[in-house]
Amino acid sequence: RICRITRCSRFLDVGSGAGDFALLLHNQGASVATADSTAHRPFCTEKIDAIPHHTIDFETGQIHGVKSLDGTTIVLRHVLEHVKDPARFLERLLSLNPAYFYIVVPNARSVERKLLGKYWYFWDPPRHLWHFHVEPLEILFHRLKMAPLQFGHDTIPDLIPSLYRFLRIHRFPKSLYQPLNPKS
């Protein structure tokens, strides 16, 4: 979807985590780099020299060693809900002159959130500071003079992490919930 909509072949995967999305883009023939809070390269891309890695200060949006991102799509998958000030963070990234952003955030109006209530994994305070749905995103984009090309839905399953959250909240034995930990 990202390649089809943007027709872009250069990407910076910010908050890349394990690097699986960057690896997918690389395997599709795209030029991709990763950026995260540590200098340690993502697990999935650590042995691929063609995928450079940068550190980013999530407080300021400063990407060390990057002066411009002309013609690049910045990938922000599950990043904005974690940063202290999403508008300020995006403003800093906009100053690097990217071609596009690909933004994925949990949908606070999703069916899963309504069904799972307080056990919905993406509530997850204090790590998730912000909760988005289309209208707040439209307001944020309008304020920053960003024009969305398309809104859509991601397919990240959240039932297992929500079960993990339920079991933890209700103090089940760690041996029962730990195998369901999204980071395990």
Side-chain angles (χ1 to χ4, degrees):
R1 169 173 43 183
I2 187 173
C3 296
R4 179 179 43 82
I5 292 170
T6 66
R7 302 213 191 297
C8 197
S9 62
R10 292 192 333 208
F11 299 90
L12 175 65
D13 187 7
V14 174
S16 52
D20 55 327
F21 195 72
L23 181 61
L24 175 70
L25 288 168
H26 172 76
N27 289 341
Q28 294 290 321
S31 172
V32 63
T34 58
D36 219 324
S37 60
T38 69
H40 185 71
R41 296 169 57 84
F43 172 77
C44 293
T45 63
E46 67 185 345
K47 294 183 169 87
I48 303 173
D49 293 335
I51 302 178
H53 179 72
H54 304 278
T55 56
I56 182 170
D57 181 337
F58 283 102
E59 184 80 21
T60 65
Q62 174 73 37
I63 304 170
H64 304 287
V66 174
K67 302 277 188 249
S68 174
L69 291 171
D70 290 336
T72 300
T73 296
I74 297 177
V75 176
L76 298 171
R77 292 175 63 242
H78 293 274
V79 171
L80 284 187
E81 66 269 25
H82 299 280
V83 297
K84 182 177 176 181
D85 186 340
R88 188 171 143 225
F89 183 74
L90 286 172
E91 283 173 339
R92 172 65 184 123
L93 294 177
L94 279 165
S95 75
L96 297 172
N97 200 32
Y100 300 99
F101 285 90
Y102 179 73
I103 297 173
V104 177
V105 292
N107 180 359
R109 286 195 175 162
S110 70
V111 172
E112 293 92 343
R113 200 276 308 152
K114 291 174 184 170
L115 290 173
L116 296 167
K118 69 180 181 181
Y119 303 113
W120 184 52
Y121 178 71
F122 292 118
W123 277 142
D124 200 25
R127 288 183 294 185
H128 290 162
L129 304 174
W130 299 94
H131 298 99
F132 295 99
H133 53 85
V134 171
E135 287 83 7
L137 285 173
E138 287 176 331
I139 291 167
L140 176 62
F141 296 156
H142 178 75
R143 177 178 163 208
L144 296 173
K145 297 176 177 51
M146 295 171 68
L149 295 176
Q150 184 174 352
F151 283 95
H153 298 280
D154 205 26
T155 57
I156 294 174
D158 55 7
L159 187 57
I160 297 299
S162 296
L163 179 57
Y164 165 81
R165 181 170 165 77
F166 172 86
L167 295 172
R168 277 198 77 177
I169 287 172
H170 289 284
R171 301 180 190 269
F172 278 76
K174 188 174 184 176
S175 61
L176 193 60
Y177 65 75
Q178 191 57 37
L180 305 175
N181 184 335
K183 298 186 185 287
S184 66

